[in-house]
Amino acid sequence: MSIVNISQSILEFPIIIWLTVLVIFIWSLTIFIKKPSQKVFLIDFACYKPLALQTCTKEKTLQIVKAMGNYSEETLDKMRMAMNKVGLGDSTYLPETLLTNSPNLCLETSLKESQNVMFGALDILFEKTKIDPKCIGILIVNCSVFNPVPSLSCMIVNHYKMNENVLSYNLGGMGCTAGLLAVRLANQLLQVHESTYALILSTENTSHCCYLGNDESKLIPNCTFRVGGAAILLSNRPSDRNSCKYELLHDVHTHGASSDRSYKSIFLEEDDDGLVGVSITKDLLIAATNAIETNLTSLGPLILPLSEKLSFLKNFVMRRIFGVENIKKYVPNFTKIDHFFPHVGGLPVLNQLQKKLGFSDLAMEASKISLRRFGNTSSSSIWYILAYSEAKGRIKKGDKIWQMAFGSGFKYSSVIWRVIRNVDRNDMKNPWNEESDALIDLNLDSNAPVHDYFESP
């Protein structure tokens, strides 16, 4: 057949066949040519600092709960011991209602606490960034134990009169890691919605989770959780790169709820008298250790240098493939990262992390001092830690920041940021303003024993 005849045959093909070939070709391109991911930037964040009149020492806390009537002397002694071992100082904050002569734990006081924290943090953030609330395209609010109707996210939309097309999400029951899970959700949404601002509000409600019974497993939250919250503004707009603080590099999350032991390690339930509280079982540290190991296995290849990857591989081959029994499991050196900011679950937990991962006292300083100063503010604690390092002038252009959080489920999250510009330590809206230098002299016990209530990991 001549070339002329072949050309005529091709031209005689029905148009539908050509369209089908074209569709298949384009479809193949979408499979093999991956669209580059949108870069996500953290423009700024703000941490809420309660009123000075809400400051409460450990002894004053015990006096308050004793006056509320349901605690035995033995229970009060256990709470005193727990507050000392967990690492709290005498300058943390309690809800206003607990500091009155007649505390009233009800829906109204819980709403007031949430409104004060949320609007306080958001007002500071909008003032710092000069962003109109109507420009927010995505809103994510996380609070574990307090979920009113309408939701907290609706409360924010109503207060700031945001646009009707804002994408609003309310995360509940997800524990202290919910703040980083919110970052993951925002990142995924910003891959779909172009040129958009995403606003995250992370908080917990201390009034609503206050336990008034004598069940030892439910006392620890009373001894550690304190008032706090943070607002974070993210963007995928290329024009924001030069004005933002951080760029999101990685987010790695581990969910261990398929294990009953992990799932039940932190549990909201009633005691024998019908009083509701968050039970923390003796398996907590074991659940945390398992989740951390799994998470680091996924995170390591993303952040470790090649030399560490090769050392780990060599150790793995010798132990698992060749069966050499006298070789210890190799723990990669994660200390090469510039800043390590683990969630302030408690001093014994921070000490375990420091010991296992080999971080210095200076690397752990921000987390331990934040725990001492503000207590465990749940999902927002990682932002008080970052704010502390900003106030100390330690955040420099090009640095990499590792935020880590763990909580009920059992869940574990790691987020890695790159610093885009040197951060001004003289930010007047920083909660550590005028006090970070004084707190550096606190005694940070790196050998504090694990609370004898817990089973050792």
Side-chain angles (χ1 to χ4, degrees), residues 42-298:
L42 192 159
I43 296 179
D44 212 332
F45 68 97
C47 297
Y48 175 71
K49 190 172 185 179
L51 300 173
L53 57 84
Q54 292 178 247
T55 305
C56 193
T57 66
K58 288 176 284 188
E59 284 302 317
K60 186 176 180 181
T61 301
L62 291 172
Q63 293 173 11
I64 292 171
V65 296
K66 183 178 181 180
M68 296 179 75
N70 288 321
Y71 295 109
S72 65
E73 288 299 326
E74 180 183 3
T75 298
L76 292 172
D77 288 338
K78 289 180 179 179
M79 292 178 67
R80 180 181 290 106
M81 179 182 66
M83 282 191 285
N84 289 330
K85 284 191 174 183
V86 83
L88 259 65
D90 284 324
S91 300
T92 60
Y93 300 98
L94 286 179
E96 290 181 69
T97 184
L98 291 180
L99 299 170
T100 61
N101 293 328
S102 55
N104 181 21
L105 299 178
C106 62
L107 178 61
E108 182 181 356
T109 54
S110 295
L111 282 170
K112 183 178 180 181
E113 178 187 342
S114 288
Q115 290 170 345
N116 289 342
V117 173
M118 294 192 309
F119 301 153
L122 288 168
D123 286 348
I124 296 172
L125 181 65
F126 289 136
E127 181 181 351
K128 290 172 70 174
T129 60
K130 310 302 180 186
I131 298 294
D132 187 339
K134 293 184 179 296
C135 294
I136 301 300
I138 300 166
L139 171 64
I140 304 172
V141 179
N142 67 267
C143 182
S144 287
V145 299
F146 184 56
N147 296 285
V149 179
S151 67
L152 296 177
S153 58
C154 287
M155 196 180 301
I156 291 173
V157 172
N158 175 263
H159 182 81
Y160 291 100
K161 306 305 178 187
M162 294 180 175
N163 287 334
E164 294 178 353
N165 61 348
V166 62
L167 299 177
S168 173
Y169 300 86
N170 211 79
L171 308 182
M174 304 189 75
C176 300
T177 192
L180 292 186
L181 288 169
V183 171
R184 179 182 179 85
L185 174 58
N187 181 28
Q188 293 176 337
L189 291 170
L190 289 171
Q191 299 306 314
V192 179
H193 302 277
E194 297 183 358
S195 192
T196 304
Y197 290 115
L199 177 63
I200 298 172
L201 192 289
S202 294
T203 187
E204 195 50 79
N205 194 287
T206 316
S207 305
H208 198 71
C209 67
C210 185
Y211 172 65
L212 302 178
N214 285 279
D215 185 340
E216 184 179 0
S217 69
K218 297 177 176 61
L219 294 177
I220 294 177
N222 284 4
C223 302
T224 61
F225 288 98
R226 295 295 183 264
V227 176
I232 304 95
L233 183 62
L234 304 177
S235 170
N236 61 4
R237 296 154 47 104
S239 59
D240 288 326
R241 189 186 190 284
N242 294 328
S243 60
C244 73
K245 285 184 175 181
Y246 309 107
E247 178 186 350
L248 179 61
L249 298 182
H250 309 291
D251 59 85
V252 178
H253 302 267
T254 302
H255 207 307
S258 58
S259 163
D260 289 344
R261 198 174 192 181
S262 295
Y263 175 67
K264 296 177 181 178
S265 62
I266 303 177
F267 215 85
L268 181 67
E269 60 184 0
E270 292 182 344
D271 65 11
D272 294 338
D273 298 320
L275 298 173
V276 177
V278 177
S279 293
I280 297 181
T281 73
K282 297 181 180 182
D283 292 331
L284 174 65
L285 295 185
I286 293 177
T289 301
N290 293 337
I292 289 171
E293 288 184 355
T294 304
N295 189 269
L296 294 185
T297 300
S298 300

Side-chain angles (χ1 to χ4, degrees), residues 343-379:
H343 159 64
V344 298
L347 189 56
V349 178
L350 292 175
N351 288 338
Q352 285 288 326
L353 279 172
Q354 181 177 1
K355 179 181 177 181
K356 295 298 183 182
L357 298 181
F359 281 97
S360 66
D361 289 339
L362 181 62
M364 301 296 295
E365 177 187 292
S367 291
K368 291 184 178 181
I369 288 184
S370 294
L371 172 62
R372 183 71 62 89
R373 175 63 180 86
F374 288 97
N376 185 347
T377 59
S378 189
S379 58

Side-chain angles (χ1 to χ4, degrees), residues 249-252 297-305 309 400 416:
L249 298 182
H250 309 291
D251 59 85
V252 178
T297 300
S298 300
L299 180 67
L302 299 175
I303 66 172
L304 289 174
K309 296 176 185 177
K400 289 185 178 179
I416 309 296

